[in-house]
Amino acid sequence: GESVGLHLPTLSVQEGDNSIINCAYSNSASDYFIWYKQESGKGPQFIIDIRSNMDKRQGQRVTVLLNKTVKHLSLQIAATQPGDSAVYFCAEEAQGGSEKLVFGKGMKLTVNP
Amino acid sequence: GAVVSQHPSRVICKSGTSVKIECRSLDFQATTMFWYRQFPKKSLMLMATSNEGSKATYEQGVEKDKFLINHASLTLSTLTVTSAHPEDSSFYICSARDSFRGKETQYFGPGTRLLVL
């Protein structure tokens, strides 16, 4: 069941700094990974994805790094802006075509102006 | 492109009543949609996979008779919370994937906030 009193991990950065959000995934059979951004009261918004045959992928101001050896995923945001303030979730999809996503616990990013 | 809508965005109902939530893919077709539940400050938990034209697949611990899912067309899935109780109060989010174009990414709706009194 749900644990009472747990809060989301929080990362606070200054506007203009680079942010790094980390995620450990559990299933070594996962072959597709996605980062989502969720603002308060809204649904998750796709940011960037990466397949397991890659270790790095870049988008606009964002980079995702995948380390399959230690089952670690990270999201780097360059020149963080106040509009980047949100909760960030990583999600993994196991190979085999189930299409089901398993979400990580989330990290709250706060950007201070 | 890849817009998913949900209706209603918020609903308040009395205990014992049923509530229907709609999820629509607006600019693509989806043979599969997903329903998630999210508690405050928590992650998304998959409740069920909605399959167009067939029965939904429920995750372990989710009561299928409590959370009725209908996926009647390639752009619409509905979740009905039957005989709602206060513990059903939560944020319900759907997602859909543009599987016809072979795209893997799931796109999420804006969510429905349910409050059961």
Side-chain angles (χ1 to χ4, degrees), chain A residues 47-48 57-64 75-78 88:
Chain A
I47 301 173
I48 192 168
R57 190 158 187 233
Q58 288 185 292
Q60 187 177 12
R61 280 202 307 121
V62 294
T63 301
V64 55
L75 176 70
Q76 300 178 357
I77 305 174
Y88 290 80

Side-chain angles (χ1 to χ4, degrees), chain B residues 90-107:
Chain B
S90 193
F91 193 49
Y92 292 89
I93 311 172
C94 71
S95 73
R97 187 165 139 170
D98 188 354
S99 45
F100 281 98
R101 288 193 278 179
K103 295 187 176 180
E104 296 176 293
T105 307
Q106 284 188 29
Y107 293 93

Side-chain angles (χ1 to χ4, degrees), chain B residues 15-59:
Chain B
S15 191
T17 61
S18 295
V19 175
K20 180 187 283 188
I21 303 169
E22 293 184 349
C23 176
R24 292 181 186 272
S25 55
L26 298 185
D27 50 2
F28 64 97
Q29 294 181 324
T31 54
T32 306
M33 293 184 176
F34 302 88
W35 286 97
Y36 296 82
R37 184 173 180 177
Q38 187 178 32
F39 291 102
K41 298 187 180 355
K42 298 295 184 183
S43 190
L44 283 75
M45 292 188 61
L46 180 65
M47 297 174 66
T49 302
S50 172
N51 305 298
E52 187 267 337
S54 64
K55 292 183 180 179
T57 305
Y58 290 82
E59 294 300 299

Side-chain angles (χ1 to χ4, degrees), chain B residues 53-111:
Chain B
S54 64
K55 292 183 180 179
T57 305
Y58 290 82
E59 294 300 299
Q60 191 172 9
V62 178
E63 299 176 58
K64 62 180 181 181
D65 295 329
K66 171 79 173 171
F67 298 100
L68 299 178
I69 291 172
N70 186 298
H71 194 150
S73 77
L74 289 170
T75 59
L76 173 65
S77 174
T78 60
L79 169 69
T80 301
V81 183
T82 62
S83 186
H85 288 98
E87 57 264 31
D88 297 326
S89 299
S90 193
F91 193 49
Y92 292 89
I93 311 172
C94 71
S95 73
R97 187 165 139 170
D98 188 354
S99 45
F100 281 98
R101 288 193 278 179
K103 295 187 176 180
E104 296 176 293
T105 307
Q106 284 188 29
Y107 293 93
F108 285 80

